[in-house]
């Protein structure tokens, strides 16, 4: 009898070891929420989803096999809040938030479910994390375009359109970080050092785009600041800029794909390739509070030569060397 | 009567008390069971102890191997960046070659994604040109770096590998400074390249070393000289050994 007891005791000591050695829990279907601040019909959505899914699969998380992914997307604040509620109610293991606006919507709803933001220009200022090294909250992720890029935007705009004497920066008051003021000091410093006039104009409604761009004088240029609104309405911004023959620089590549002159900024699709590494670690038990916020590794310069020719601009050789892609 | 009186005590004695043989047997059995159990328990405990130690040794070995391979990867990576920097130091600096220099810097940034910024200093340690991915390019800023550690060390040793510091407390960066491969006729001291390269491109080494740990960073200077685990590995990984 004693021997049996001893064996049982030994067995009970050994029993918890194999799962520890295996590391990943098997069998249970894990839930991942993805909330994007884009229209459901936006062609960027399937592109991001495909890359995200593939990167997860490379880490061993296969949709339908050991994970279930719940995708939701909307532009309007009310609809986003509704979808955020819906996702939180599902109690997923982790939610991926496409932008600052989406992340703040989600973090108002939950203090427990881990949230991984894909791009947030100012996660500390927005209160998502306590510090980049130690978020200390249920959120972590990747920073977006840093404010220092403002200097780069003005520089590139003047390089491709040397006649630019006045720059209008446009953003949306609610979806830009800190209502657009996050980028302001850096923009002002860059404009002052280059002796370029500067004004910041807020776009509140989609109809503002046309009227703001129509009011620009010759010699004016546009810097489109990165936020959810400008990204979602990129087609109409690009169209208006073309109609009024305004040289404009954009923060993301899809603007140039849609017919914008030049774009310089983070490669968002690359971030959808990197976010799964954090999702993977959270699913394996890591706490977002301990995962440092990472910076985007890749900045890409895309020049649309067709648009440059239309505006009567010659693309300097050095810009062609710098460009990651030139759209002919 | 006497006989009858004499017999009952004898019979009652044999039924009430166990025989000496039975008692001995139980004792033996008891002792045997105890000894066997003790041996089994001791054996089990020893087994657990040994497997625990083996597991620990194995884990340490795996971690050491991982650290070694990460260090080798980082070393290789830094060597590559160094090689890319080397060709950019070939041209002598003058105002006529400014465009060439700009072009070289643009090419360098284009070809080596890890390099965030590159600067060219003159023989006296003043900045002539700086090209960056994240800030406006500068020409002729004349910022004096002659008192900086990297300048003196790069002049003395041809190449300098800075400590890993954490930009905005989360991204590992290091500075590589290189003395120009040729001595310019006008300048007695070689020229210096200052390249700020991300120590890792975001693949496995950083994922395994950076995540989840705390890195104290001195924000004022942007340099971190403390011995973080990552810094140690990266410093050792430098082709010239620890500096």
């Amino acid at each position: 009898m004693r021997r049996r007891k001893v064996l049982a005791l030994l067995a009970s000591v050994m029993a918890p070891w194999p799962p520890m050695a295996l590391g990943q829990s098997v069998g249970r279907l894990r839930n991942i929420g993805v909330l994007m601040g884009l229209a459901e019909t936006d062609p960027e959505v399937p592109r991001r989803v495909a890359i995200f899914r593939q990167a997860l699969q490379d880490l061993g998380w296969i949709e339908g096999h050991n994970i279930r992914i719940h995708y939701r997307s909307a532009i309007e604040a009310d609809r986003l809040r509704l979808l955020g509620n819906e996702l939180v109610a599902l109690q997923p293991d982790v939610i991926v938030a496409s932008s600052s606006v989406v992340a703040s919507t989600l973090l108002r709803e939950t203090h427990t479910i881990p949230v991984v933001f894909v791009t947030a220009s100012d996660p500390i200022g927005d209160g998502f994390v306590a510090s980049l090294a130690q978020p200390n909250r249920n959120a972590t992720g990747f920073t977006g375009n840093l404010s220092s890029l403002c200097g780069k935007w003005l520089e590139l705009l003047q390089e491709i359109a040397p006649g630019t004497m006045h720059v209008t920066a446009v953003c949306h008051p609610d979806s830009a970080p800190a209502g657009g003021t996050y980028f302001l000091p850096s923009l002002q410093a860059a404009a002052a050092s280059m002796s370029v006039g500067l004004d910041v104009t807020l776009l509140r409604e989609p109809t503002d785009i046309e009227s703001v761009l129509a009011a620009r004088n010759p010699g004016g240029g546009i810097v489109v600041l990165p936020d959810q609104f400008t990204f979602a309405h990129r087609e109409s911004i690009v169209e208006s800029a073309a109609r009024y023959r305004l040289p404009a620089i954009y923060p993301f590549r899809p603007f140039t794909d849609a017919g914008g002159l030049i774009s310089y900024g983070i490669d968002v699709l690359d971030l959808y390739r990197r976010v799964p590494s954090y999702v993977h670690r959270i699913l394996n038990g890591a706490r977002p509070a301990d995962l440092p916020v990472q910076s985007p590794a890749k900045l890409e310069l895309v020049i649309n030569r067709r648009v440059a020719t239309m505006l009567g601009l010659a693309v300097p050789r050095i810009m062609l060397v710098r460009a990651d892609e030139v759209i002919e | 009567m006497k006989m009858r009186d004499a017999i009952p005590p004898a019979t009652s004695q044999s039924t009430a008390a166990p025989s000496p043989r039975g008692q001995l047997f139980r004792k033996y059995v008891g002792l045997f069971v105890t000894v066997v159990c003790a041996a089994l328990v001791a054996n089990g405990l020893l087994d657990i102890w040994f497997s625990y130690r083996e597991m620990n040794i194995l884990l340490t070995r795996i971690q050491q191997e991982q650290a070694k391979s990460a260090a080798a990867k980082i070393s290789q990576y830094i060597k590559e960046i160094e090689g890319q920097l080397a060709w950019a130091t070939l041209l002598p600096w003058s105002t006529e070659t400014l465009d060439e220099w700009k072009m070289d810097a643009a090419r360098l940034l284009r070809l080596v994604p890890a390099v965030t910024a590159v600067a060219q200093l003159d023989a006296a340690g003043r900045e002539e040109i700086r090209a960056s991915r994240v800030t406006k390019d500068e020409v002729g800023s004349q910022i004096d770096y002659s008192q900086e550690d990297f300048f003196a060390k790069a002049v003395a040793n041809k190449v300098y590998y800075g400590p890993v510091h954490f930009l905005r407390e989360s991204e590992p960066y290091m500075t590589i400074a290189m003395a120009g491969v040729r001595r310019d006729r006008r300048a007695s001291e070689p020229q210096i390249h200052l390249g700020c390269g991300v120590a890792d491109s975001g693949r496995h080494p950083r994922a395994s070393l950076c995540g989840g740990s705390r890195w104290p960073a001195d924000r004022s200077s942007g340099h971190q000289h403390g011995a973080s685990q990552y810094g140690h590995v990266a410093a050792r990984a430098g082709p010239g050994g620890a500096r």
Side-chain angles (χ1 to χ4, degrees), chain B residues 5-73:
Chain B
D5 282 347
I7 292 162
T11 49
S12 70
Q13 203 179 14
S14 70
T15 50
S19 73
R21 268 185 69 190
Q23 218 169 12
L24 206 60
F25 179 73
R26 272 182 216 174
K27 265 185 191 166
Y28 271 126
V29 167
L31 198 68
F32 184 74
V33 165
T34 319
V35 166
V36 166
C37 283
L40 275 173
V41 168
N43 188 34
L45 286 175
L46 272 174
D47 260 3
I48 291 172
W49 169 242
F50 278 120
S51 57
Y52 169 76
R53 269 190 47 182
E54 261 169 38
M55 195 86 110
N56 260 356
I57 291 167
L58 205 69
L59 275 177
T60 323
R61 208 172 289 160
I62 289 170
Q63 277 172 347
Q64 269 173 349
E65 286 305 315
Q66 278 177 342
K68 261 187 210 161
S69 92
K73 265 186 199 165

Side-chain angles (χ1 to χ4, degrees), chain A residues 175-241:
Chain A
S175 66
T181 54
Y182 170 73
F183 292 107
L184 201 56
S186 176
L187 268 175
Q188 282 167 336
S193 76
M194 293 167 66
S195 314
V196 169
L198 171 78
D199 70 285
V200 179
T201 307
L202 299 177
L203 306 170
R204 288 172 203 281
E205 299 293 329
T207 49
D208 289 349
I209 297 167
E210 171 91 27
S211 57
V212 165
L213 269 63
R216 295 304 105 204
N217 298 319
I222 304 287
V223 172
V224 176
L225 296 177
D227 66 50
Q228 191 178 291
F229 178 90
T230 55
F231 191 87
H233 295 93
R234 59 188 183 277
E235 298 263 348
S236 67
I237 294 177
V238 162
E239 263 170 39
S240 296

Side-chain angles (χ1 to χ4, degrees), chain A residues 16-100:
Chain A
W17 287 23
M20 266 161 64
L22 275 174
Q24 283 189 21
S25 58
V26 279
R28 193 155 70 88
L29 211 58
R30 313 292 292 270
N31 284 295
I32 301 172
V34 176
L35 186 55
M36 289 193 208
L38 292 176
E40 270 178 296
T41 51
D42 197 309
E44 273 297 293
V45 175
R47 259 177 234 149
R48 291 177 180 185
V49 165
I51 285 172
F52 180 70
R53 193 180 283 154
Q54 182 58 48
L56 273 174
Q57 199 169 327
D58 294 344
L59 293 166
W61 298 102
I62 298 152
E63 209 172 349
H65 178 67
N66 52 4
I67 49 164
R68 189 182 292 137
I69 312 180
H70 307 270
Y71 299 100
R72 303 280 188 280
S73 63
I75 310 178
E76 310 80 20
D78 298 340
R79 178 109 181 96
L80 262 181
R81 204 170 308 127
L82 204 76
L83 293 176
N85 268 328
E86 207 178 294
L87 278 179
V88 168
L90 288 170
Q91 289 290 311
D93 296 274
V94 53
I95 305 180
V96 174
S98 72
S99 66
S100 297

Side-chain angles (χ1 to χ4, degrees), chain A:
Chain A
M1 279 304 279
R2 265 269 189 83
R3 188 167 174 275
R4 265 183 215 166
K5 270 184 194 163
V6 169
L7 284 176
L9 191 77
L10 282 177
S12 69
V13 169
M14 305 293 278
W17 287 23
M20 266 161 64
L22 275 174
Q24 283 189 21
S25 58
V26 279
R28 193 155 70 88
L29 211 58
R30 313 292 292 270
N31 284 295
I32 301 172
V34 176
L35 186 55
M36 289 193 208
L38 292 176
E40 270 178 296
T41 51
D42 197 309
E44 273 297 293
V45 175
R47 259 177 234 149
R48 291 177 180 185
V49 165
I51 285 172
F52 180 70
R53 193 180 283 154
Q54 182 58 48
L56 273 174
Q57 199 169 327
D58 294 344
L59 293 166
W61 298 102
I62 298 152
E63 209 172 349
H65 178 67
N66 52 4
I67 49 164
R68 189 182 292 137
I69 312 180
H70 307 270
Y71 299 100
R72 303 280 188 280
S73 63
I75 310 178
E76 310 80 20
D78 298 340
R79 178 109 181 96
L80 262 181
R81 204 170 308 127
L82 204 76
L83 293 176
N85 268 328
E86 207 178 294
L87 278 179
V88 168
L90 288 170
Q91 289 290 311
D93 296 274
V94 53
I95 305 180
V96 174
S98 72
S99 66
S100 297
V101 179
V102 176
S104 71
T105 306
L106 285 169
L107 289 169
R108 267 198 298 271
E109 303 296 333
T110 177
H111 296 287
T112 49
I113 300 171
V115 172
V116 180
F117 46 83
V118 186
T119 55
S121 288
D122 188 16
I124 298 176
D126 287 335
F128 302 161
V129 295
S131 83
L132 297 179
Q134 278 264 244
N136 270 337
R137 264 200 77 176
N138 59 326
T140 186
F142 293 80
T143 51
N145 285 317
L146 305 176
S147 64
S148 67
L149 281 186
C150 290
K152 213 70 205 166
W153 289 325
L154 292 191
E155 182 186 30
L156 289 168
L157 184 61
Q158 226 188 17
E159 244 174 67
I160 199 165
T164 309
M165 296 320 292
H166 188 94
V167 168
T168 302
V170 294
C171 66
H172 185 260
D174 299 330
S175 66
T181 54
Y182 170 73
F183 292 107
L184 201 56
S186 176
L187 268 175
Q188 282 167 336
S193 76
M194 293 167 66
S195 314
V196 169
L198 171 78
D199 70 285
V200 179
T201 307
L202 299 177
L203 306 170
R204 288 172 203 281
E205 299 293 329
T207 49
D208 289 349
I209 297 167
E210 171 91 27
S211 57
V212 165
L213 269 63
R216 295 304 105 204
N217 298 319
I222 304 287
V223 172
V224 176
L225 296 177
D227 66 50
Q228 191 178 291
F229 178 90
T230 55
F231 191 87
H233 295 93
R234 59 188 183 277
E235 298 263 348
S236 67
I237 294 177
V238 162
E239 263 170 39
S240 296
R243 189 171 314 134
Y244 299 104
R245 298 183 60 81
L246 286 167
I249 184 157
Y250 306 93
F252 300 111
R253 190 217 169 94
F255 283 93
T256 11
D257 286 339
L261 175 63
I262 179 170
S263 69
Y264 185 67
I266 55 169
D267 180 353
V268 180
L269 291 180
D270 182 53
L271 287 178
Y272 278 89
R273 206 167 287 130
R274 290 172 68 194
V275 160
S277 68
Y278 265 3
V279 171
H280 171 67
R281 289 171 76 162
I282 289 168
L283 289 179
N284 278 342
R287 292 177 342 125
D290 300 328
L291 298 173
V293 176
Q294 295 186 50
S295 298
K298 215 170 133 197
L299 293 161
E300 58 177 357
L301 176 68
V302 182
I303 299 169
N304 197 324
R305 222 172 176 180
R306 191 175 47 80
V307 179
T309 316
M310 247 160 53
L311 294 171
L313 302 170
V315 184
R317 223 177 106 228
I318 191 160
M319 290 195 93
L320 296 175
V321 169
R322 277 199 209 126
D324 292 274
E325 197 179 327
V326 179
I327 301 170
E328 298 287 347

